[in-house]
Amino acid sequence: VYGQEAKDSDLAKQAQNPIANLISLPLQNNTNFGIGPDDETQNILNIQPVWPFSIGEVWILITRTILPVVSQPNVLTGGEGRINGLGDTTFTGFFSPKDSPKLTWGVGPVFLMPTATDDTLGSDKWGAGASVVLLAMPGKWVVGSLFSNVWSFAGSGDQDVNLFTWQYFINYNMANQWYLTSAPIITANWEADSGNRWTVPFGGGVGKIFRIGKQPINGQVSAYYNVEKPDSGADWQLRVQLQFLFPKK
């Protein structure tokens, strides 16, 4: 049992590392509350498989695809009522050195693909940009930041895309594979006017590594309040995540 607990404790740190050499399938559900004058609700389920590839002796390429399944409220669909469907897909590839004991880092391209099934669920634009991640894992902590910016370069949508994303993450691992977490996603839409540019959430939650049979799963629940938001932005967000982990045998 002790050996299994040690493995699961190591898995917790790997699951909290966005560029770990670990195949995983996170299903992250974000429910945004308090949108518009009628306090409407938006729901986004991000299906985001992570698949690493070894490149020679020195490098590893970690690929992350985010496919959002969106339920858009009336206030964000121009009065067309609630619309459900797929949003735009984001693909990121991080090149990271295999051996970086104290400070782990990765850098690479990010691509935006117009896969939305309705105009109100995406930008109808192709985009590209760059992303970088830095993190350290001292003791029971996993701390770091992920930055990216995407610019549109083609497509028939009316609005250009110029989107900055910063996600810092702070995790503290406790006994029995429980951990505390804070991982808000801060965004800036550079195409918007200055008063509607930033979304800045603040909050946190709790997570645990557990197993169903032999399948390890990283479960997590957290809540974030938007201290800064656009006029059409949500007041707060509830995030529930199940991340299926596939460690090497």
Side-chain angles (χ1 to χ4, degrees), residues 42-200:
Q42 176 194 55
N43 198 83
I44 302 173
L45 170 64
N46 288 323
I47 303 167
Q48 41 191 53
V50 178
W51 200 289
F53 297 91
S54 179
I55 304 176
E57 298 293 320
V58 178
W59 295 94
I60 186 169
L61 170 65
I62 300 96
T63 67
R64 184 171 72 168
T65 305
I66 301 178
L67 177 63
V69 180
V70 184
S71 177
Q72 199 80 300
N74 178 65
V75 70
L76 298 180
T77 64
E80 295 182 33
R82 181 168 290 275
I83 293 177
N84 305 308
L86 298 179
D88 290 340
T89 298
T90 305
F91 174 85
T92 308
F94 292 103
F95 293 91
S96 178
K98 290 182 178 177
D99 186 21
S100 52
K102 292 200 174 172
L103 183 67
T104 304
W105 60 272
V107 63
V110 54
F111 299 100
L112 176 69
M113 293 165 277
T115 54
T117 53
D118 189 277
D119 289 344
T120 65
L121 304 178
S123 64
D124 207 16
K125 291 280 191 177
W126 292 87
S131 189
V132 61
V133 61
L134 303 164
L135 72 127
M137 293 187 284
K140 296 181 178 181
W141 296 86
V142 177
V143 295
S145 278
L146 190 157
F147 305 90
S148 71
N149 205 99
V150 176
W151 296 266
S152 58
F153 61 84
S156 59
D158 296 331
Q159 184 68 47
D160 289 337
V161 175
N162 183 358
L163 182 67
F164 169 77
T165 302
W166 170 33
Q167 182 176 32
Y168 68 81
F169 45 94
I170 303 169
N171 301 281
Y172 179 74
N173 291 281
M174 302 180 293
N176 300 316
Q177 292 77 56
W178 286 93
Y179 63 90
L180 301 175
T181 183
S182 179
I185 300 173
I186 298 165
T187 59
N189 175 13
W190 302 120
E191 292 292 322
D193 61 64
S194 58
N196 286 288
R197 186 165 292 166
W198 288 91
T199 300
V200 182

Side-chain angles (χ1 to χ4, degrees), residues 199-248:
T199 300
V200 182
F202 182 78
V206 63
K208 179 178 171 60
I209 301 291
F210 63 97
R211 288 176 180 261
I212 297 178
K214 293 185 177 180
Q215 175 63 56
I217 298 171
N218 175 26
Q220 184 186 115
V221 60
S222 54
Y224 298 93
Y225 177 75
N226 289 324
V227 295
E228 177 72 26
K229 65 184 182 71
D231 292 341
S232 60
D235 291 332
W236 67 284
Q237 177 185 87
L238 176 67
R239 181 185 303 165
V240 179
Q241 178 175 291
L242 287 177
Q243 180 183 12
F244 295 84
L245 308 171
F246 303 96
K248 294 178 179 176

